[in-house]
Amino acid sequence: QVHLVESGGGLVEAGGSLRLSCAASGRTFTSDTMGWFRQAPGEEREFVAALSGSGSSAVDVDSVKDRFTISRDNAKNTVYLQMNNLEPEDTAVYYCAAKIGALATSSRWYTYWGQGTQVTVSS
């Protein structure tokens, strides 16, 4: 059974940083795409960033470009999201997800999901 477990969320002041981790078990995602989504209260789940199996491609949305960096350690079957210069608008539950094959930005293409980790940014 596949499990994705996120960690690293918490409360931080605006301008601060957090590093989210997502550890996968039950399947090796070396060749697959792993991504991060977020969902704020009352909002739809939003794509944040994704990284291909080789790590050579990354996609992120304009709102986090130059502030967030996605990376992965295939040896640890883990994907990370480094978040710098956080803003109150980044407050949300952050979800890790994985899909077989190529990059995608729509949540409907992702098969495996973590339980989410709360990120709260105070102003």
Side-chain angles (χ1 to χ4, degrees):
Q1 190 173 2
V2 175
H3 290 284
L4 302 180
V5 180
E6 302 98 334
S7 60
L11 173 64
V12 64
E13 292 184 350
S17 299
L18 285 173
R19 188 195 195 203
L20 304 183
S21 299
C22 172
S25 62
R27 173 188 167 88
T28 299
F29 289 99
T30 303
S31 301
D32 299 323
T33 293
M34 299 190 76
W36 289 95
F37 292 77
R38 65 185 182 184
Q39 188 167 18
E43 301 291 332
E44 294 187 354
R45 192 165 296 189
E46 175 189 32
F47 171 77
V48 176
L51 195 60
S52 67
S54 65
S56 62
S57 301
V59 177
D60 51 30
V61 296
D62 288 343
S63 62
V64 306
K65 204 176 289 287
D66 298 328
R67 297 190 299 120
F68 291 10
T69 303
I70 186 171
S71 62
R72 64 193 296 166
D73 184 338
N74 285 337
K76 296 182 179 180
N77 218 20
T78 298
V79 65
Y80 304 97
L81 186 67
Q82 178 66 45
M83 305 185 295
N84 298 328
N85 194 21
L86 283 160
E87 303 170 352
E89 293 73 23
D90 296 318
T91 295
V93 177
Y94 283 72
Y95 296 91
C96 171
K99 67 176 295 291
I100 297 171
L103 285 170
T105 60
S106 174
S107 62
R108 69 177 183 269
W109 298 114
Y110 286 77
T111 304
Y112 307 103
W113 290 86
Q115 82 288 349
T117 185
Q118 176 70 46
V119 171
T120 303
V121 184
S122 63
S123 57

